[in-house]
Structures are given as structure tokens and as C-alpha cells.
Amino acid sequence: MAMENFFNGQKEYDNDDNDNVLNRSNSSTFSKNDKNQNKNKELHNIIENLHYENKIINDFVKDLHDENKNLVSGIKDLQCGNKNLFSFIKDLNDEKKKLNDKIDKLKDNIDELEKKSSNRVLKEVFAYLLIPCIEQIKNGFDQMNKEKKGISQQYYEFRKYYNTCTLKMIKYKNKIINNEPLTLISEIIEKFSNEAKLSTDELIELLLEENKRNYNTHDFIEDYIDDFIYGECTENDLIQYIEDKSDVNIIITNNEKDLLIKLMRFNIAHRQKLIPIQSTVINYFDDSQIFNYYIDDSPFRMPIIKQYKDMDTIVMGKIEYGSCHIGDQCLIMPNRKLVKIMNIYYDNGIETDSCICGKNVRLKLKNVEEQDISSGFILCHVHQEPCSVGRIFEAQINILEHKSNIYPGYSTVLHIHTAVAKIQLKKLIRLIDVEKNKTTQENPTFITQNQVAIAIFELSQDKQVICMELFNRFPRLGQFTLQDDGRTFAVGKVLKIIN
């Protein structure tokens, strides 16, 4: 029993020990499990974190792929843009080249226009400076016809013989022997070229172009000559003077300039010879009547200097009396042609609606052709008193200089306003003393230098009439000069229009 108890006790002890061991063992196992669980948990957390980080990396890589794809697409777009840019730059360069070509062409056109404008002005200047030569030829024909009148009925018409064909024949010395008119023209050209210090060929070349020109430079060339004579300008100022007055850049060769200066010198010398005669003319007439362009209600009067075609017919002249307006109905005397003023231009090209006396103008006219008008015609207003016309007139004349006595039957050339006509002295009525205002001799046989007479004149051409006015009513249209061989030898004024 005791043994049994011992064994039982031992058994219990052993059981207790076993239980303790088991408990210890279980405790140890549980402890290990806990650690393993913790490690697993940690490992799981690490794995989860790795998965999360891998997901982030994958997302980042995906984003990188997307960005790379966008970058590749952007590079392609940029390459395409560069290609378009290069194409645009090429197109731009092509357009620039075309634009430069157009600019160069425009510059060439401007240069050509400047050259044409310069040539036009120079031709007009040359044309005006050649007037004395042509006047000498005209006067030569008048003298030749006057000398032949008592010998034969032959009459040489200036316009028939003075032409381009004649000038070329003279230049090449063809068929001028035994041809009196051509010989006369040749001799005058040779004389003029010697006086102007030009070669005959140079002068003929200038005359050959003369028919193509207009005399628009009349006023400023006259002004230059006056300024030169009175010391206000020099030869070196000539080209600049022309440029300033014409608003054109003058392009001129040295040879052209040399010809121009030589002709200008001749014209200045010619003007200086006329100064004493012009002074006598001014002193002979009452300055207040001739040179004062005061505004009044006088009828419109504009002597025509020149006419030409520019769509409509253009007439040039100076308004001596009255005024005109656009739309005015006018008469061209002496042929009484009814016209209408469409445009009015001052000599500097400025357009205006109206113009008063004393102004040089160009008028564009409707209902008339260029060939219906001649220098010396006068434009009048249709609703005012028209200009007087006549072929036989009584005048007071003052002989300034003449080598011989002048008898009835004497033929000469009349210059009255812008008209030029051949006239004949028909009768000497009396000689007068102007200062004492009394008659010194009735019905004189002749008149000579420094004498004043009342005389009757008649136009030489049959049935011809010209515009003229009585001096006491329209002084600027009633004063005149008489010329012989191109020189003024007498001045006068119209007292009465007989027929």
C-alpha cells in the first residue's frame, strides 16, 4: 500500500513532472509560434510593402512609358513642325526673293520714270531755247517773200519747207543746191550754230526733236534769264533752277549740259540786246495801263499761246482781263467757236475752280479740236462782250530804230498779244509830237527813226482777221510791236478798228 502509494505518489509526481515538462514544452512551442507568427506577420507586411512599392514602381514605369510615348510623339510632332518650319522658311525666302525682284523692278521703273520726266523737261527747255532759231528762219522766209513780191508771184510757205525731211536733207547735204528755200534754211541754221557755238549737226539734231515738245517751261526759263541778267543766279545754278521749278530730278549727260548752257548763253545774249528796246516800249506806254492787273468787272479775255491734245483739248495762256470758272461757256475768237471750260490748272499744275486776271493757266476745253485753235486766238465769255477782230486798223506807231525811211506799201510783221501776222502800211495820216500832243505834219510821204505817226495798216493775207482791241479799252491787247528781220523796230497801239 505504501509501495502503491509510493508508486502512486511517484506516478503523480511523474505525472506532475510530465505535465510540467509538457507545459514547459507547450510553453516553448507557443513562444516559438508567437515569434514565427510575428515574423510571418512582419514578412507579410514586408511583402505587402514590397507589393505596394512594386505597384508604385510599376505605375512609375507605366508613367515613364506613357511619358516616353508622349515624348516620342512630341519628337515626331517637333520633327514634323521643323519640316513645316523649314518649308515655311523656304517659302518665305522664295517670297522674299520675289519681293526683292519686284522691288528691283519697281526701282527700275522709278528710274525709268525719272529719266522720262527728266528727258521731257530737258526737251521742253531745249525747245524754248530754240525759238530764236526758228523765228530767224520764219523771218528769213518773210524777207525772201517780200523781196520776191515785186519780181514774181512766187510765195514760199514756211510750214511747207521747214520740216523733218528738210532738216535731214540739210544734215546730209542732199538736194539743197539750186533750192532757194532749203538754201535759206541751211544758211540760217549755219549762222545760228556759229553764234551759239554749236556744230551744225548738233543744232539740227535738236531741231529734229523740236516738233515733239511742249512749251510748258516758258515761264521759268524766262525767269532764269531775267535772274541771270540781274545777277541773281549763275550758270552753275541752271540745272538746280530747272529742278526746283519743274519738281523733276534732272538726269543729264555732260554733252547735253554743254549744249544746254551754250543755247542758254545765246538766249541771254539775245535778251540783253533787246533790253534797250524793251525799256523804250515800257517808257512809251503808260505803266498803270499795261502792268497793273487789278481785279475789275472787265470782260474775260485770255489770249491763247499754245494748244495741245490730252484726252480733251488744252489751251495755255495768261488771263489778261476778267476771270473764269469751271463750267463757263466761252467763245474762241475770231472763229466764234463755242466751248465749255472743264478744268482749270495753274502753270505749276495745281487745279482750281476759278482764276482771275494776271495768272498763267491751262484750261481743258470741251467741244473743240486742237486743229480748230491757233496761237493768237482769244478766249472770251459767251455772255459778255466778245473780243474785237479786224484786218484794217488805225494805229499810233513810234519808230525806235530803222536804217531807212518807211513808205506806204512797206510790209512788216505785227506782234500783238500772242498773235503774229504779216501787215502792210497802207497810209500815213500825220506825224505827231507826243510830248506836246500836237500834229507836226499832215499826210507825210514817209516816216523815219524817232518819229511818231498815225497810220493805217492792213493784214497782208487775203480775208485774214485777227483778234485785237482798242488800246484805250484793253491796253494789254491793244499794244503791239513791229519786227523786221527778227528785230523790233517800232511799237504802237491800236486806235481804231476800221474793218
Side-chain angles (χ1 to χ4, degrees):
M1 188 69 169
M3 186 60 73
E4 186 180 349
N5 287 335
F6 172 77
F7 281 112
N8 285 334
Q10 187 66 36
K11 185 179 180 178
E12 288 179 0
Y13 177 78
D14 290 335
N15 286 336
D16 288 335
D17 286 340
N18 288 334
D19 287 338
N20 288 333
V21 170
L22 182 61
N23 286 335
R24 283 195 300 269
S25 176
N26 286 337
S27 176
S28 175
T29 299
F30 286 144
S31 177
K32 288 180 180 180
N33 286 338
D34 287 340
K35 288 180 179 180
N36 288 334
Q37 285 179 352
N38 288 334
K39 287 181 179 181
N40 287 336
K41 188 174 180 181
E42 288 177 2
L43 184 61
H44 179 72
N45 288 336
I46 290 171
I47 291 172
E48 283 186 351
N49 288 335
L50 288 173
H51 280 299
Y52 178 73
E53 289 178 0
N54 184 61
K55 183 176 180 303
I56 291 174
I57 291 171
N58 288 335
D59 290 342
F60 179 72
V61 170
K62 182 175 179 301
D63 290 342
L64 284 178
H65 280 300
D66 291 341
E67 288 182 7
N68 183 62
K69 184 178 179 181
N70 291 335
L71 183 61
V72 171
S73 177
I75 290 172
K76 287 181 179 180
D77 291 341
L78 185 60
Q79 289 174 340
C80 183
N82 285 341
K83 184 178 179 181
N84 292 336
L85 181 60
F86 287 135
S87 176
F88 174 74
I89 291 172
K90 183 179 180 298
D91 292 341
L92 191 62
N93 287 331
D94 290 341
E95 289 299 321
K96 182 181 178 181
K97 184 177 182 301
K98 290 179 182 178
L99 184 60
N100 287 334
D101 290 341
K102 288 181 179 180
I103 291 173
D104 291 338
K105 189 174 181 180
L106 185 59
K107 287 180 179 178
D108 291 339
N109 290 338
I110 291 173
D111 291 341
E112 183 66 23
L113 287 173
E114 286 183 346
K115 181 65 176 175
K116 286 182 178 179
S117 297
S118 175
N119 287 341
R120 173 184 58 79
V121 172
L122 285 175
K123 286 180 178 181
E124 291 173 0
V125 171
F126 276 117
Y128 184 73
L129 297 178
L130 288 169
I131 289 176
C133 179
I134 298 169
E135 288 296 327
Q136 286 184 22
I137 297 173
K138 286 181 180 178
N139 293 331
F141 269 76
D142 290 338
Q143 184 66 26
M144 180 173 62
N145 289 324
K146 183 169 63 174
E147 292 171 355
K148 284 185 171 295
K149 186 173 181 181
I151 303 172
S152 67
Q153 297 299 318
Q154 191 171 13
Y155 179 82
Y156 295 115
E157 176 64 38
F158 167 77
R159 293 184 181 277
K160 178 181 177 181
Y161 290 96
Y162 180 78
N163 51 47
T164 299
C165 182
T166 297
L167 291 172
K168 288 182 178 179
M169 288 173 63
I170 294 172
K171 180 178 179 181
Y172 299 113
K173 298 178 174 57
N174 296 329
K175 299 178 183 179
I176 62 172
I177 299 175
N178 298 326
N179 188 318
E180 194 171 3
L182 269 60
T183 300
L184 173 67
I185 295 173
S186 178
E187 288 175 351
I188 292 175
I189 287 176
E190 185 175 356
K191 178 185 175 184
F192 186 92
S193 62
N194 289 334
E195 292 176 350
K197 295 181 173 55
L198 300 171
S199 72
T200 304
D201 286 348
E202 287 174 334
L203 179 57
I204 291 176
E205 283 299 321
L206 293 172
L207 291 170
L208 282 169
E209 297 184 17
E210 191 272 335
N211 288 333
K212 304 174 184 177
R213 307 170 187 174
N214 290 323
Y215 296 95
N216 297 330
T217 58
H218 173 96
D219 287 335
F220 73 72
I221 292 300
E222 285 289 302
D223 291 342
Y224 173 82
I225 292 174
D226 287 339
D227 289 348
F228 183 92
I229 289 173
Y230 293 107
E232 296 179 14
C233 63
T234 67
E235 267 185 9
N236 295 331
D237 301 323
L238 176 57
I239 302 302
Q240 186 65 49
Y241 197 101
I242 295 172
E243 289 180 337
D244 292 343
K245 295 294 183 178
S246 64
D247 292 327
V248 170
N249 180 36
I250 298 299
I251 303 169
I252 187 170
T253 65
N254 290 333
N255 183 56
E256 288 174 329
K257 187 175 180 180
D258 183 57
L259 294 175
L260 181 63
I261 289 175
K262 287 178 179 178
L263 276 176
M264 185 62 75
R265 286 173 183 167
F266 178 87
N267 277 261
I268 290 170
H270 181 68
R271 172 70 65 80
Q272 287 172 326
K273 290 178 183 177
L274 294 178
I275 286 176
I277 295 176
Q278 291 172 338
S279 299
T280 304
V281 172
I282 292 172
N283 293 331
Y284 180 70
F285 296 113
D286 182 355
D287 288 1
S288 64
Q289 291 177 298
I290 301 299
F291 301 105
N292 288 339
Y293 285 87
Y294 53 85
I295 301 173
D296 58 14
D297 57 355
S298 297
F300 174 54
R301 299 283 190 271
M302 191 191 89
I304 294 171
I305 298 174
K306 188 173 179 63
Q307 70 284 344
Y308 60 93
K309 195 76 174 177
D310 184 8
M311 301 297 286
D312 292 307
T313 299
I314 306 292
V315 293
M316 300 167 57
K318 185 175 186 177
I319 299 176
E320 297 290 356
Y321 294 95
S323 61
C324 64
H325 303 76
I326 289 178
D328 282 355
Q329 298 287 334
C330 293
L331 282 176
I332 296 179
M333 298 294 287
N335 60 5
R336 303 188 69 84
K337 181 70 177 178
L338 183 63
V339 298
K340 182 179 181 180
I341 298 177
M342 305 302 294
N343 299 91
I344 303 173
Y345 304 92
Y346 290 118
D347 56 359
N348 58 7
I350 297 176
E351 189 171 0
T352 181
D353 294 332
S354 61
C355 193
I356 60 174
C357 60
K359 300 296 184 180
N360 292 302
V361 294
R362 289 182 291 120
L363 305 181
K364 181 176 285 190
L365 303 180
K366 187 177 181 181
N367 304 326
V368 67
E369 297 299 324
E370 178 186 359
Q371 57 267 26
D372 296 330
I373 308 172
S374 294
S375 297
F377 285 14
I378 291 183
L379 195 63
C380 313
H381 200 288
V382 73
H383 298 304
Q384 296 173 341
E385 176 188 358
C387 174
S388 301
V389 299
R391 62 175 283 99
I392 303 175
F393 61 96
E394 181 181 304
Q396 175 181 311
I397 59 169
N398 181 359
I399 308 301
L400 305 176
E401 58 175 0
H402 203 271
K403 296 178 181 179
S404 59
N405 298 333
I406 299 173
Y407 295 86
Y410 176 80
S411 293
T412 185
V413 180
L414 169 74
H415 290 256
I416 181 167
H417 53 84
T418 58
V420 179
K422 287 184 61 179
I423 62 171
Q424 186 180 67
L425 173 61
K426 303 300 290 185
K427 182 180 179 181
L428 289 169
I429 299 174
R430 61 184 176 273
L431 299 178
I432 61 174
D433 185 329
V434 177
E435 292 182 358
K436 295 180 180 180
N437 193 24
K438 70 176 185 178
T439 299
T440 59
Q441 184 181 346
E442 294 283 354
N443 301 315
T445 305
F446 61 86
I447 183 173
T448 190
Q449 186 169 315
N450 297 325
Q451 288 185 331
V452 179
I454 306 299
I456 295 176
F457 292 90
E458 182 178 2
L459 301 186
S460 299
Q461 185 176 329
D462 290 341
K463 299 180 181 179
Q464 181 188 14
V465 294
I466 62 171
C467 295
M468 61 177 68
E469 295 283 12
L470 302 183
F471 182 84
N472 61 359
R473 289 206 59 202
F474 299 94
R476 291 186 289 277
L477 303 179
Q479 62 169 333
F480 62 85
T481 62
L482 300 179
Q483 292 189 6
D484 194 1
D485 292 331
R487 293 183 63 84
T488 298
F489 70 89
V491 295
K493 50 189 177 184
V494 178
L495 303 179
K496 183 192 301 183
I497 298 173
I498 299 173
N499 184 18

